[in-house]
Amino acid sequence: MSDDTAPWLIVGLGNPGAEYAGNRHNIGFMVVDLLAERMRGKFKAHKARAQVVEGRLGPPGPANRRVVLAKPMSFMNLSGGPVTALRDFYKVPVERIVAVHDELDIDYPTLRLKLGGGDNGHNGLKSMTKSMGPEYHRVRCGIGRPPGRMQVADFVLKDFSSTERKELDWFVDRAADSVECLIAEGLERAQSAYNS
């Protein structure tokens, strides 16, 4: 059973750099940025090649959780290194790690939460799983499939379309809510409230 004093490690997956900031692939960064705002925290550089915010999330009382929000500063396909270093530094059991990431096989703007499973071709998850096994939580933010013959790599590295952007704030807000629900009330409760 996990150590109750250990923090939760909430990892937003994305690519560092201004040119990637609005990409579909960076929705994980967008979600942890919003969580950091809610915690009134500022990201700071960590020796694990990541930006982190430490603090508490959730309602006052027993559901208030100690969390470390993280944005790996390696590129997406190397996320496992920084996440593993943070896990070791903060002594976080793997079941208290949450990866927030884009998901091609789920329509936009749909959320699905789960524990463990495959990487579905997602390079960030592939790297994390290779470093520490698959038994971490995932908040999967649906971005849908590329239109026509567009390559997946081109699609995920493009910004959200103007139509998608109309719902993006709402979607990021809902994903952030689902993370709070997951760490405060558990996976089942979060799935029934947010899986669509």
Side-chain angles (χ1 to χ4, degrees):
M1 211 43 227
S2 73
D3 167 12
D4 259 5
T5 61
W8 283 79
L9 176 58
I10 316 295
V11 181
L13 292 179
N15 286 310
E19 68 272 33
Y20 299 106
N23 290 180
R24 292 182 178 95
H25 222 18
N26 271 41
I27 193 160
F29 275 17
M30 297 173 197
V31 174
V32 294
D33 282 340
L34 178 59
L35 288 167
E37 256 174 61
R38 291 180 182 183
M39 287 164 52
R40 294 185 177 79
K42 289 248 184 289
F43 279 96
K44 293 181 177 68
H46 190 279
K47 65 180 181 188
R49 284 184 316 152
Q51 298 272 333
V52 300
V53 172
E54 297 176 51
R56 299 193 83 83
L57 202 52
N64 189 264
R65 302 282 186 245
R66 202 158 73 84
V67 297
V68 178
L69 303 175
K71 296 192 288 189
M73 290 289 117
S74 58
F75 281 88
M76 179 72 88
N77 58 347
L78 300 171
S79 303
V83 176
T84 305
L86 290 169
R87 176 200 68 184
D88 296 346
F89 182 84
Y90 290 104
K91 301 182 173 43
V92 180
V94 73
E95 66 275 13
R96 284 202 178 194
I97 297 173
V98 182
V100 185
H101 63 92
D102 57 308
E103 178 67 68
L104 287 159
D105 286 336
I106 301 173
D107 291 337
Y108 181 84
T110 304
L111 280 177
R112 300 259 168 80
L113 286 81
K114 70 174 192 173
L115 175 63
D119 58 52
N120 221 4
H122 191 289
N123 289 331
L125 296 180
K126 200 174 283 182
S127 177
M128 281 180 63
T129 297
K130 192 174 168 202
S131 292
M132 59 191 188
E135 289 307 306
Y136 52 90
H137 287 89
R138 296 103 193 275
V139 173
R140 304 155 74 205
C141 303
I143 58 168
R145 283 259 158 211
R149 297 183 171 201
M150 188 191 283
Q151 292 295 312
V152 164
D154 295 333
F155 179 69
V156 298
L157 293 177
K158 278 204 174 359
D159 286 3
F160 286 96
S161 69
S162 52
T163 312
E164 288 169 332
R165 276 201 296 273
K166 292 185 178 116
E167 290 183 291
L168 186 58
D169 286 349
W170 170 84
F171 189 31
V172 168
D173 197 58
R174 190 170 160 78
D177 289 347
S178 79
V179 170
E180 291 205 40
C181 182
L182 168 64
I183 66 174
E185 301 179 54
L187 180 61
E188 246 169 77
R189 176 80 190 85
Q191 284 174 326
S192 67
Y194 294 96
N195 277 14
S196 38

